[in-house]
């Protein structure tokens, strides 16, 4: 008690001295006005975003129920900046055709070619314009845990409904390190884990997913390994979206996947909705398989970018290192469109074969 009293006395003396000096200083000016002491500075300690702090508060179960999520394309102007007018048209086409969610800035949306400022801006733009009509899942994953945390904080701050997180790629990590990475990003809000070993160079094995499955913010996993892996998860009650369009029909109706996170739905959202909502439909699936296989003849999003340009719904602008498919594949696309029916594709212009000189390739933007 003696120590406490002594400390209190010293604090009072110090405070009186500070106030006295501040008052004297203020009165020496041309006018006299009392200035209150400044508020205490609080250290900038990292506190993860929480789902109930998000602008558009979203229950994890709302994300788990989505059956058709489109990995939306990001279109460009001739100088390489985002073409937001074309982007908004693309999103409206998805909403009008029954898509329930969007992945913004994913592989298909070329998040890997964006700065983080561009990334967060596009997420915020999508939420502000369309967030009341469709769920917005921002790709805020990174191979750096610190970067993933920071980007996810920003994504939730601008209102995204959920985050998409990939496992650390290129440098990779141990299995325990992978679990620690996901545990650090899961605490911030509803999250979809994305497993695509062909791009990351490292599989997310089932025991890793089982380790994080009890986290309340885990919405599920976008799985690209195949239907047997999907069945392993669905049997344990883990929500799964197929990451392979050419397998998604069987994933949904034979392996209990909730739905698909789709590239093809950029082009034929109405048909993809039928595939996910209306029960087993092998004839429709067979009708769409040539388009799905065409889209992935080269790494995604090369095929999709070429297709949307030929449909006249985006400008034929590519950010390098992506370049359009060669002329024979562009001719093949026109044939596929005519076989499926132009009316089933987005946009209202006639499909055309673009020449090499029609495309703009941009290295600096």
């Amino acid at each position: 008690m003696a120590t406490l009293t002594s400390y209190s006395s010293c604090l009072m003396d110090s405070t009186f001295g500070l106030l006295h000096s501040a008052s004297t200083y203020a009165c020496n000016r041309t006018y006299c006005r009392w200035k209150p002491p400044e508020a205490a500075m609080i250290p900038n300690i990292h506190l993860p975003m929480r789902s109930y702090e998000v602008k558009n508060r979203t229950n994890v179960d709302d994300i788990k129920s989505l059956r058709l999520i489109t990995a939306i394309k990001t279109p460009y102007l001739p100088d390489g900046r985002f073409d937001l007018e074309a982007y908004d048209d693309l999103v409206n086409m998805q909403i009008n055709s029954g898509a329930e969610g969007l992945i913004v800035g994913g592989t298909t949306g070329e998040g890997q070619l964006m700065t983080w400022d561009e990334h967060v801006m596009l997420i915020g733009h999508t939420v502000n314009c369309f967030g009341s009509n469709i769920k917005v899942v921002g790709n805020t994953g990174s191979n750096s845990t610190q970067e993933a945390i920071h980007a996810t904080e920003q994504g939730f701050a601008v209102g995204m409904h959920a985050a998409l997180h990939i496992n650390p790629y290129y440098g990779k990590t141990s299995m325990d390190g992978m679990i620690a990475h996901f545990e650090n990003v899961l605490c911030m809000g509803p999250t979809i884990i994305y497993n695509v070993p062909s791009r990351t160079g490292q599989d997310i094995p089932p025991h890793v997913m089982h380790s994080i499955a009890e986290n309340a913010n885990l919405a599920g996993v976008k799985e690209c390994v195949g239907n047997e892996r999907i069945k392993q998860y669905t049997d344990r009650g883990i929500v799964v979206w197929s990451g392979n369009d050419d397998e998604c029909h069987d994933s949904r109706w034979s392996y209990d996947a909730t739905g698909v996170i789709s590239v093809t739905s950029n082009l034929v959202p109405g048909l993809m909705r039928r595939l996910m909502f209306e029960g087993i439909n092998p004839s429709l699936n067979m009708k769409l398989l040539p388009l799905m296989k065409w889209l992935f003849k080269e790494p995604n999003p090369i095929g999709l970018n070429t297709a949307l340009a030929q449909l006249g719904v985006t400008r034929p602008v590519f950010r390098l290192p992506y370049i359009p498919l060669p002329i024979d594949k562009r001719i093949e696309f026109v044939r596929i469109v005519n076989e499926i029916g132009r009316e089933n594709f987005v946009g209202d212009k006639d499909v055309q074969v673009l020449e090499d000189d029609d495309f703009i390739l941009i290295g600096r933007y």
Side-chain angles (χ1 to χ4, degrees):
M1 181 62 71
T3 303
L4 180 61
T5 304
S6 175
Y7 175 79
S8 300
S9 299
C10 291
L11 184 60
M12 290 176 62
D13 291 343
S14 299
T15 304
F16 177 80
L18 287 170
L19 290 174
H20 176 72
S21 72
S23 300
T24 303
Y25 176 73
C27 289
N28 285 337
R29 296 184 178 183
T30 55
Y31 60 91
C32 183
R33 185 175 66 189
W34 179 80
K35 292 185 178 295
E38 292 184 2
M41 297 295 293
I42 300 174
N44 184 21
I45 299 173
H46 165 70
L47 293 174
M49 295 293 291
R50 298 175 176 82
S51 58
Y52 56 82
E53 295 173 330
V54 179
K55 177 182 176 183
N56 293 299
R57 290 192 296 268
T58 303
N59 190 289
V60 176
D61 289 338
D62 293 336
I63 304 300
K64 290 181 176 181
S65 66
L66 304 177
R67 284 162 284 185
L68 177 59
I69 302 173
T70 298
I72 194 74
K73 150 75 176 167
T74 306
Y76 304 114
L77 296 167
D79 61 4
R81 291 178 298 130
F82 293 165
D83 185 346
L84 291 179
E85 183 178 356
Y87 178 81
D88 291 352
D89 286 342
L90 285 173
V91 174
N92 276 316
M93 292 175 200
Q94 294 298 315
I95 293 170
N96 294 336
S97 297
E100 299 173 297
L102 299 173
I103 303 292
V104 178
T107 305
T108 305
E110 300 182 18
Q112 62 274 17
L113 304 186
M114 295 179 189
T115 66
W116 278 116
D117 285 345
E118 288 179 317
H119 219 128
V120 175
M121 181 278 289
L122 191 61
I123 293 170
H125 171 82
T126 309
V127 171
N128 289 331
C129 295
F130 308 104
S132 60
N133 296 315
I134 198 165
K135 295 301 181 187
V136 179
V137 181
N139 170 32
T140 55
S142 172
N143 57 351
S144 160
T145 304
Q146 186 275 339
E147 191 172 82
I149 289 171
H150 183 62
T152 304
E153 285 176 330
Q154 291 182 315
F156 279 123
V158 299
M160 70 183 185
H161 303 105
L164 180 73
H165 278 283
I166 203 163
N167 52 306
Y169 49 87
Y170 183 65
K172 301 189 285 189
T173 185
S174 64
M175 295 299 102
D176 288 343
M178 195 184 294
I179 292 170
H181 173 84
F182 287 137
E183 286 176 342
N184 271 267
V185 297
L186 275 164
C187 63
M188 287 178 281
T191 300
I192 297 173
I193 302 299
Y194 179 19
N195 185 33
V196 55
S198 63
R199 290 186 181 271
T200 64
Q202 189 176 34
D203 183 30
I204 304 174
H207 83 268
V208 170
M209 286 304 304
H210 297 159
S211 296
I212 62 175
E214 297 305 314
N215 191 296
N217 282 329
L218 180 66
V221 56
K222 176 186 177 182
E223 183 56 71
C224 297
V225 166
N227 286 331
E228 295 304 323
R229 176 72 64 83
I230 286 174
K231 188 62 174 173
Q232 282 184 268
Y233 292 148
T234 57
D235 282 348
R236 295 180 65 122
I238 298 173
V239 170
V240 185
W241 294 271
S242 174
N244 300 327
D245 283 354
D246 60 346
E247 297 179 345
C248 71
H249 173 267
D250 292 346
S251 301
R252 174 86 170 99
W253 304 112
S254 300
Y255 295 89
D256 299 325
T258 296
V260 63
I261 295 178
S262 176
V263 176
T264 307
S265 56
N266 278 276
L267 300 175
V268 286
L271 296 183
M272 289 301 296
R273 180 181 170 87
R274 285 177 55 193
L275 208 60
M276 291 296 101
F277 279 74
E278 296 182 4
I280 298 173
N281 194 337
S283 61
L284 177 58
N285 188 50
M286 289 298 295
K287 185 177 183 179
L288 290 175
L289 279 177
L291 172 63
M292 294 171 177
K293 293 185 181 301
W294 180 90
L295 279 170
F296 295 94
K297 286 182 180 293
E298 295 289 351
N300 179 50
I302 293 170
L304 176 64
N305 293 355
T306 305
L308 288 170
Q310 294 199 164
L311 289 168
V313 296
T314 63
R315 290 177 169 88
V317 179
F318 282 67
R319 281 184 174 184
L320 291 170
Y322 297 126
I323 63 172
L325 288 174
I327 187 68
D328 61 319
K329 298 298 188 294
R330 302 200 294 265
I331 293 171
E332 183 183 355
F333 176 69
V334 172
R335 177 182 59 78
I336 291 172
V337 170
N338 290 330
E339 289 176 354
I340 294 176
R342 176 65 184 89
E343 69 279 4
N344 293 307
F345 285 77
V346 294
D348 53 13
K349 297 179 181 178
D350 291 337
V351 62
Q352 57 182 318
V353 178
L354 295 179
E355 300 297 330
D356 290 346
D357 291 343
D358 292 326
F359 291 95
I360 301 172
L361 310 181
I362 300 177
R364 298 184 68 178
Y365 39 83

